Amino acid sequence: MCSLSTVITAILLRVGIVGGGIVGLFTSYYLLRRGVNVTIIDTDPAGGRASENNAGFIVSTASKPRLSLSLLARAVLGFQAPVRVSLARLVRNARWFLKVSRSYGYGDDIIAKIARRSLDLYIEFLSSEGIDVDLVRGVISAFKKWEDAVMLAKSIGGRVLDERDLRDHGYIGLGGGVYVEEDLSINPLKLYWGLRKRVEDLGARVVIDEVRRIRVDEKGVVVIVGKGSTEHDYIVISAGSRCGEICRSIGYNPMVEPARGIVILHRTKRAGLISSPALLEDYGVAVAQHGSELLRVTGFFELIGHRVKIDRRLTGWLIGIARKHVKNYGEAEPYTVRMGFRPCSADLLPVIGRIPSYKNIYIATGLCRLGITMAPIAGKIVSSMILGESPPMDQEILSAISPARFGGRKVQAL
Ligand SMILES: Cc1cc2nc3c(=O)[nH]c(=O)nc-3n(C[C@H](O)[C@H](O)[C@H](O)COP(=O)(O)OP(=O)(O)OC[C@H]3O[C@@H](n4cnc5c(N)ncnc54)[C@H](O)[C@@H]3O)c2cc1C
């Protein structure tokens, strides 16, 4: 229950959300529900690319490509699916690559805890808002070797599936899998647009313009956009893989690097081509069907900057994997290829909280491979901080994901 003074404080607040991807939208949602005046500023009228173009798995358990130094080296030297690295990027951002290879794996438990809390928020959100997202309960992690599935089940739990079970779920040529009933799969396009409509219905103002710079003065935070500026009491920088560019004007570096992923959408004519979505772990390829009309095949983790050209070899490889392991793939017809850039920090942990030296500038990014999963909790943490309430997360985790770990310039705070 909120006191009258808390309600009045919230109503008087003007918060600017820089970047209206899934993280910016969930932050807006939790602020709007408390009566805060929210303005979302986004370059793109169609919204966040990564937030629409992803696999749509809401999971606390998925494994990930091992970013060891040797894998990075092999990925630079040639075509090392699913991880690809450009030499130019490696040279330009050597500090990021070095840090990521050193800290890889240390934050897995933290991410699992954050993701589990976020899963609960999703259940609450989906049941209270009634947005249709083609929700499917239960996700499979599938392997070529049965022993790999057994090993994963030992660490995360879940039901072990054998080759026959996988065939019943619609997959062939795989030795074993782990079925985790609590994990969810959604259609990211429906989630993104359902939430976007909801925040607009709740009163969010949307400004379509590019944020160039940020300045702090006696009136609050001034966001300089292409056609003028907007003023706010607080801002949240949630521009995904572009956060580094935006933070430059305030002397902060969140050490976020884009990791490109590719999505191939297929038309289908009936439901049940597969009966459960799956991550084909040996390839880092995700397969999900939404309703009767859409099959989504997703893959790649490319550290190549914001490059938008897609080599045909990549789409050919993805389609090849789907054809090899989805029993009824012949009934699906690929019709469009899309991409998204995951925002990945140098220790692969989220960057959520107040930017050092600024009282009124917050950031929420670095959610990398699990940005859809963790967006609600990221939004909830930042909104509680702005409202002066205690965030729904242990202090130890808040410190681990704090923006302060990447330093910051000493500047005049408002
Ligand atoms: C292929 C692929 C598969 C994935 N699969 C999953 C999955 O199964 N489960 C999961 O949990 N996560 C998954 N992810 C990760 C997830 O999609 C991302 O982590 C998440 O979408 C990031 O959201 P965001 O809001 O931080 O960034 P974005 O979605 O990138 O949004 C940032 C927004 O900021 C705007 N912006 C940028 N610069 C400016 C500027 N200068 N001015 C104004 N606006 C600006 C952009 O237009 C954009 O709308 C996947 C990602 C990819 C690419």
Coordinates of all heavy atoms in Angstrom, one line a residue, residues 18-24 41-44 47-59 192 209-212 238-242 246 259-263 298-300 339-343 364-365 367-374, ligand 1:
V18 N 15.2 6.7 -22.6 CA 16.0 6.8 -23.8 C 16.1 5.4 -24.4 O 17.0 4.7 -24.0 CB 17.3 7.5 -23.5 CG1 18.2 7.5 -24.8 CG2 17.1 8.9 -23.0
G19 N 15.3 5.1 -25.4 CA 15.3 3.8 -26.0 C 14.1 3.0 -25.6 O 14.0 2.6 -24.4
G20 N 13.2 2.8 -26.6 CA 12.0 2.0 -26.2 C 12.0 0.6 -26.7 O 11.1 0.1 -27.4
G21 N 13.1 -0.1 -26.4 CA 13.1 -1.6 -26.6 C 12.3 -2.2 -25.5 O 11.7 -1.5 -24.7
I22 N 12.5 -3.5 -25.3 CA 11.7 -4.2 -24.3 C 12.1 -3.7 -22.9 O 11.2 -3.6 -22.0 CB 11.9 -5.8 -24.4 CG1 10.8 -6.5 -23.7 CG2 13.3 -6.2 -24.0 CD1 9.5 -6.6 -24.3
V23 N 13.3 -3.4 -22.7 CA 13.8 -2.9 -21.3 C 13.2 -1.5 -21.0 O 12.6 -1.3 -20.0 CB 15.3 -2.9 -21.3 CG1 15.8 -2.3 -19.9 CG2 15.9 -4.3 -21.4
G24 N 13.2 -0.6 -22.0 CA 12.6 0.7 -21.9 C 11.1 0.6 -21.7 O 10.5 1.3 -20.8
I41 N 11.7 8.1 -25.7 CA 12.3 8.7 -26.9 C 13.1 7.6 -27.7 O 13.9 6.9 -27.1 CB 13.4 9.8 -26.5 CG1 12.7 10.7 -25.5 CG2 13.9 10.5 -27.8 CD1 13.7 11.4 -24.7
D42 N 12.7 7.4 -28.9 CA 13.3 6.3 -29.7 C 13.5 6.8 -31.2 O 12.6 7.4 -31.7 CB 12.5 5.0 -29.7 CG 13.3 3.8 -30.0 OD1 13.8 3.7 -31.2 OD2 13.5 2.9 -29.2
T43 N 14.7 6.4 -31.7 CA 15.0 6.8 -33.1 C 14.0 6.2 -34.1 O 13.7 6.7 -35.1 CB 16.3 6.2 -33.5 OG1 17.2 6.1 -32.4 CG2 17.0 6.9 -34.6
D44 N 13.6 4.9 -33.7 CA 13.0 4.1 -34.7 C 11.5 4.0 -34.4 O 11.1 3.5 -33.4 CB 13.6 2.7 -34.6 CG 13.2 1.8 -35.7 OD1 12.2 2.1 -36.4 OD2 13.9 0.8 -35.9
G47 N 10.5 0.7 -33.3 CA 11.0 0.2 -32.0 C 12.2 -0.7 -32.1 O 12.9 -0.8 -33.1
G48 N 12.5 -1.4 -30.9 CA 13.7 -2.1 -30.7 C 13.9 -3.3 -31.6 O 13.1 -4.2 -31.6
R49 N 15.0 -3.3 -32.3 CA 15.2 -4.4 -33.2 C 15.5 -5.7 -32.5 O 14.9 -6.7 -32.8 CB 16.5 -4.1 -34.1 CG 16.1 -3.3 -35.3 CD 17.2 -3.5 -36.3 NE 16.9 -2.8 -37.5 CZ 17.7 -2.4 -38.4 NH1 19.0 -2.6 -38.2 NH2 17.4 -1.8 -39.5
A50 N 16.4 -5.7 -31.5 CA 16.7 -6.9 -30.7 C 15.4 -7.4 -30.1 O 15.1 -8.6 -30.0 CB 17.8 -6.7 -29.7
S51 N 14.6 -6.4 -29.6 CA 13.4 -6.8 -28.8 C 12.3 -7.4 -29.6 O 11.4 -8.1 -29.1 CB 12.9 -5.6 -28.0 OG 13.9 -5.2 -27.2
E52 N 12.4 -7.2 -31.0 CA 11.4 -7.9 -31.8 C 12.0 -9.1 -32.5 O 11.3 -10.1 -32.8 CB 11.0 -6.9 -32.9 CG 10.1 -5.8 -32.4 CD 9.8 -4.9 -33.6 OE1 10.7 -4.1 -33.9 OE2 8.7 -5.0 -34.1
N53 N 13.3 -9.0 -32.7 CA 13.9 -10.1 -33.5 C 14.8 -11.0 -32.6 O 16.0 -10.7 -32.5 CB 14.8 -9.5 -34.7 CG 13.9 -8.7 -35.6 OD1 12.7 -9.0 -35.8 ND2 14.4 -7.6 -36.0
N54 N 14.2 -11.9 -32.0 CA 15.0 -12.8 -31.0 C 14.2 -14.1 -31.0 O 13.3 -14.3 -31.7 CB 15.1 -12.1 -29.7 CG 13.7 -11.8 -29.1 OD1 13.0 -12.7 -28.7 ND2 13.4 -10.5 -29.1
A55 N 14.7 -15.0 -30.1 CA 14.1 -16.4 -30.1 C 12.8 -16.4 -29.3 O 12.0 -17.4 -29.4 CB 15.1 -17.4 -29.6
G56 N 12.6 -15.5 -28.4 CA 11.4 -15.4 -27.6 C 11.4 -16.5 -26.4 O 10.3 -16.8 -26.0
F57 N 12.5 -16.9 -26.0 CA 12.5 -17.9 -24.9 C 12.7 -17.1 -23.5 O 13.5 -16.2 -23.4 CB 13.7 -18.8 -25.0 CG 13.6 -19.9 -26.0 CD1 12.5 -19.9 -26.9 CD2 14.6 -20.8 -26.2 CE1 12.4 -20.8 -27.9 CE2 14.4 -21.8 -27.2 CZ 13.3 -21.8 -28.1
I58 N 11.8 -17.4 -22.6 CA 11.9 -16.8 -21.3 C 12.4 -17.9 -20.3 O 11.6 -18.7 -19.9 CB 10.5 -16.2 -20.9 CG1 10.2 -15.1 -21.9 CG2 10.6 -15.6 -19.5 CD1 8.8 -14.5 -21.8
V59 N 13.7 -17.9 -20.1 CA 14.3 -19.1 -19.5 C 15.3 -18.6 -18.4 O 15.9 -17.6 -18.5 CB 15.0 -19.9 -20.5 CG1 14.1 -20.6 -21.5 CG2 16.1 -19.1 -21.3
Y192 N 6.3 -7.4 -27.8 CA 6.7 -6.1 -28.0 C 5.6 -5.1 -28.3 O 5.4 -4.1 -27.6 CB 7.8 -6.0 -29.1 CG 8.3 -4.6 -29.3 CD1 9.3 -4.1 -28.4 CD2 7.7 -3.7 -30.2 CE1 9.7 -2.8 -28.5 CE2 8.1 -2.4 -30.3 CZ 9.1 -1.9 -29.4 OH 9.6 -0.6 -29.5
D209 N 12.7 10.3 -32.4 CA 13.9 11.2 -32.7 C 15.1 10.5 -32.2 O 15.0 9.6 -31.3 CB 13.7 12.6 -32.1 CG 14.4 13.6 -32.9 OD1 15.4 13.3 -33.6 OD2 14.0 14.8 -32.8
E210 N 16.3 10.9 -32.7 CA 17.5 10.3 -32.2 C 18.1 11.1 -31.1 O 18.3 12.3 -31.2 CB 18.5 10.3 -33.4 CG 19.8 9.6 -33.0 CD 20.9 9.6 -34.1 OE1 20.6 10.1 -35.2 OE2 21.9 9.1 -33.8
V211 N 18.4 10.4 -30.0 CA 19.1 11.1 -28.9 C 20.6 11.3 -29.2 O 21.3 10.3 -29.6 CB 18.9 10.3 -27.6 CG1 19.7 10.9 -26.5 CG2 17.5 10.2 -27.2
R212 N 21.0 12.5 -29.2 CA 22.4 12.8 -29.6 C 23.3 13.0 -28.3 O 24.4 12.5 -28.3 CB 22.5 14.1 -30.4 CG 21.6 14.1 -31.6 CD 22.4 13.8 -32.8 NE 21.6 13.5 -34.0 CZ 21.1 14.4 -34.9 NH1 21.5 15.7 -34.7 NH2 20.4 14.1 -35.9
S238 N 18.2 3.3 -21.9 CA 17.8 1.8 -22.2 C 17.9 1.6 -23.7 O 17.0 1.1 -24.3 CB 16.5 1.5 -21.6 OG 15.5 2.5 -22.0
A239 N 19.0 2.1 -24.3 CA 19.1 2.1 -25.7 C 19.9 0.8 -26.2 O 20.5 0.8 -27.2 CB 19.8 3.3 -26.2
G240 N 19.8 -0.2 -25.4 CA 20.4 -1.5 -25.8 C 21.8 -1.4 -26.2 O 22.6 -0.8 -25.4
S241 N 22.2 -1.9 -27.4 CA 23.6 -2.0 -27.7 C 24.2 -0.6 -28.1 O 25.4 -0.5 -28.4 CB 23.8 -2.9 -28.9 OG 23.0 -2.5 -30.0
R242 N 23.3 0.4 -28.1 CA 23.8 1.8 -28.5 C 24.0 2.6 -27.2 O 24.3 3.8 -27.3 CB 22.7 2.5 -29.3 CG 22.5 1.8 -30.6 CD 23.4 2.3 -31.7 NE 23.2 1.7 -33.0 CZ 24.0 1.8 -34.0 NH1 25.2 2.5 -33.9 NH2 23.7 1.3 -35.1
I246 N 25.5 6.8 -26.4 CA 24.7 7.8 -25.7 C 25.4 8.3 -24.4 O 25.3 9.5 -24.1 CB 23.3 7.3 -25.5 CG1 22.6 7.1 -26.8 CG2 22.5 8.2 -24.6 CD1 21.3 6.4 -26.8
A259 N 26.2 -7.9 -30.0 CA 26.4 -9.3 -30.5 C 25.2 -9.6 -31.4 O 24.0 -9.8 -30.9 CB 26.4 -10.3 -29.4
R260 N 25.4 -9.6 -32.7 CA 24.3 -9.8 -33.7 C 23.8 -11.2 -33.7 O 24.6 -12.2 -33.6 CB 24.8 -9.4 -35.1 CG 23.7 -9.3 -36.1 CD 24.2 -8.8 -37.4 NE 24.8 -9.9 -38.2 CZ 25.1 -9.8 -39.5 NH1 24.8 -8.7 -40.2 NH2 25.6 -10.8 -40.1
G261 N 22.5 -11.3 -33.8 CA 21.9 -12.6 -34.0 C 20.9 -12.5 -35.2 O 20.5 -11.5 -35.6
I262 N 20.6 -13.7 -35.8 CA 19.8 -13.7 -37.0 C 18.6 -14.6 -36.8 O 18.6 -15.6 -36.1 CB 20.7 -14.3 -38.2 CG1 21.8 -13.3 -38.5 CG2 19.8 -14.5 -39.4 CD1 22.8 -13.8 -39.5
V263 N 17.5 -14.1 -37.3 CA 16.2 -14.8 -37.2 C 15.6 -15.1 -38.6 O 15.6 -14.2 -39.4 CB 15.2 -13.8 -36.5 CG1 13.8 -14.5 -36.3 CG2 15.7 -13.4 -35.1
T298 N 16.3 -19.3 -35.1 CA 17.2 -18.2 -34.6 C 18.6 -18.7 -34.3 O 18.7 -19.8 -33.7 CB 16.6 -17.6 -33.3 OG1 15.2 -17.4 -33.5 CG2 17.2 -16.3 -32.9
G299 N 19.6 -17.9 -34.6 CA 21.0 -18.3 -34.2 C 22.0 -17.3 -34.4 O 21.7 -16.1 -34.8
F300 N 23.2 -17.6 -34.1 CA 24.5 -16.8 -34.2 C 24.7 -15.8 -33.1 O 23.7 -15.3 -32.5 CB 24.5 -16.0 -35.6 CG 24.8 -16.9 -36.7 CD1 23.8 -17.2 -37.6 CD2 26.0 -17.5 -36.9 CE1 24.0 -18.1 -38.7 CE2 26.3 -18.4 -37.9 CZ 25.3 -18.7 -38.8
M339 N 17.4 -9.3 -38.1 CA 18.5 -9.4 -37.2 C 18.3 -8.5 -36.0 O 17.4 -7.6 -36.0 CB 19.8 -8.9 -37.9 CG 19.9 -7.5 -38.1 SD 21.3 -7.0 -39.1 CE 20.5 -7.0 -40.7
G340 N 19.0 -8.8 -34.9 CA 19.0 -8.0 -33.7 C 20.3 -7.9 -33.1 O 21.2 -8.8 -33.4
F341 N 20.6 -6.9 -32.3 CA 21.9 -6.7 -31.7 C 21.8 -6.9 -30.2 O 21.2 -6.0 -29.5 CB 22.5 -5.4 -32.0 CG 22.8 -5.3 -33.5 CD1 21.9 -4.7 -34.4 CD2 24.0 -5.8 -34.0 CE1 22.2 -4.6 -35.7 CE2 24.3 -5.7 -35.4 CZ 23.3 -5.1 -36.3
R342 N 22.3 -8.0 -29.6 CA 22.2 -8.1 -28.1 C 23.1 -7.2 -27.5 O 24.3 -7.0 -27.9 CB 22.6 -9.6 -27.7 CG 21.9 -10.7 -28.4 CD 22.6 -12.0 -28.1 NE 22.0 -13.1 -28.8 CZ 22.3 -13.6 -30.0 NH1 23.3 -13.0 -30.7 NH2 21.8 -14.6 -30.5
P343 N 22.7 -6.5 -26.4 CA 23.6 -5.6 -25.7 C 24.4 -6.4 -24.7 O 23.9 -6.8 -23.6 CB 22.7 -4.6 -25.0 CG 21.4 -5.3 -24.9 CD 21.3 -6.4 -25.9
A364 N 19.8 0.9 -17.9 CA 19.4 -0.5 -17.8 C 19.8 -1.1 -19.2 O 19.1 -0.9 -20.2 CB 17.9 -0.6 -17.6
T365 N 20.9 -1.9 -19.2 CA 21.3 -2.5 -20.4 C 22.2 -3.7 -20.1 O 22.2 -4.2 -19.0 CB 22.1 -1.5 -21.3 OG1 22.3 -2.1 -22.6 CG2 23.4 -1.1 -20.7
L367 N 21.8 -6.8 -21.0 CA 21.0 -8.0 -20.7 C 21.4 -9.1 -21.7 O 20.9 -10.3 -21.6 CB 19.5 -7.7 -20.7 CG 19.0 -7.2 -19.3 CD1 19.7 -5.9 -18.9 CD2 17.5 -7.0 -19.4
C368 N 22.1 -8.8 -22.7 CA 22.8 -9.7 -23.7 C 21.8 -10.8 -24.2 O 20.8 -10.5 -24.8 CB 24.0 -10.3 -23.0 SG 25.1 -11.0 -24.2
R369 N 22.1 -12.1 -23.9 CA 21.3 -13.2 -24.5 C 20.0 -13.4 -23.8 O 19.1 -14.1 -24.3 CB 22.1 -14.5 -24.3 CG 23.4 -14.6 -25.0 CD 24.1 -15.9 -24.6 NE 23.3 -17.0 -24.8 CZ 22.6 -17.6 -23.8 NH1 22.7 -17.2 -22.6 NH2 21.8 -18.7 -24.1
L370 N 19.8 -12.8 -22.6 CA 18.5 -13.0 -21.9 C 17.8 -11.7 -21.6 O 17.1 -11.5 -20.6 CB 18.8 -13.8 -20.6 CG 19.2 -15.2 -20.8 CD1 19.4 -15.9 -19.4 CD2 18.2 -16.0 -21.6
G371 N 17.8 -10.8 -22.6 CA 17.2 -9.5 -22.4 C 15.7 -9.6 -22.4 O 15.0 -8.8 -21.7
I372 N 15.1 -10.5 -23.1 CA 13.6 -10.7 -23.1 C 13.3 -11.2 -21.7 O 12.4 -10.7 -21.0 CB 13.1 -11.6 -24.2 CG1 13.5 -11.0 -25.6 CG2 11.6 -11.8 -24.1 CD1 13.0 -9.6 -25.9
T373 N 14.0 -12.2 -21.3 CA 13.7 -12.9 -20.0 C 13.8 -11.8 -18.9 O 13.0 -11.8 -18.0 CB 14.8 -14.0 -19.8 OG1 14.7 -14.9 -20.8 CG2 14.5 -14.7 -18.4
M374 N 14.9 -11.0 -18.9 CA 15.2 -10.2 -17.7 C 14.6 -8.8 -17.8 O 14.8 -8.0 -16.8 CB 16.7 -10.1 -17.5 CG 17.3 -11.5 -17.2 SD 19.0 -11.4 -16.6 CE 19.9 -11.1 -18.0
Ligands
LIG1 C1 18.8 -13.5 -32.4 C2 18.5 -13.2 -31.0 C3 17.9 -14.1 -30.2 C4 17.6 -13.8 -28.8 N1 16.9 -14.7 -28.1 C5 16.6 -14.4 -26.8 C6 15.8 -15.2 -26.1 O1 15.3 -16.3 -26.5 N2 15.5 -14.9 -24.8 C7 15.9 -13.7 -24.2 O2 15.6 -13.5 -23.1 N3 16.6 -12.9 -24.9 C8 17.0 -13.1 -26.2 N4 17.7 -12.3 -27.0 C9 18.2 -11.0 -26.3 C10 17.2 -9.9 -26.3 O3 16.5 -9.8 -27.5 C11 17.9 -8.6 -26.0 O4 18.8 -8.7 -24.9 C12 16.9 -7.5 -25.7 O5 15.9 -7.4 -26.8 C13 17.5 -6.2 -25.5 O6 16.5 -5.2 -25.3 P1 16.9 -3.7 -25.1 O7 15.6 -3.0 -24.8 O8 18.0 -3.6 -24.1 O9 17.5 -3.2 -26.5 P2 16.8 -3.0 -27.9 O10 15.8 -4.0 -28.2 O11 18.0 -2.9 -28.9 O12 16.2 -1.6 -27.8 C14 17.0 -0.4 -27.8 C15 16.1 0.7 -28.3 O13 16.9 1.9 -28.2 C16 16.7 2.7 -29.4 N5 17.9 3.6 -29.6 C17 19.1 3.2 -29.9 N6 19.9 4.3 -30.0 C18 19.1 5.4 -29.9 C19 19.3 6.8 -29.9 N7 20.5 7.3 -30.1 N8 18.2 7.6 -29.7 C20 17.0 7.0 -29.4 N9 16.8 5.7 -29.4 C21 17.8 4.9 -29.6 C22 16.6 1.6 -30.5 O14 15.9 2.1 -31.7 C23 15.8 0.5 -29.8 O15 14.4 0.7 -30.0 C24 18.0 -12.5 -28.3 C25 18.6 -11.6 -29.1 C26 18.9 -11.9 -30.5 C27 19.5 -10.8 -31.3

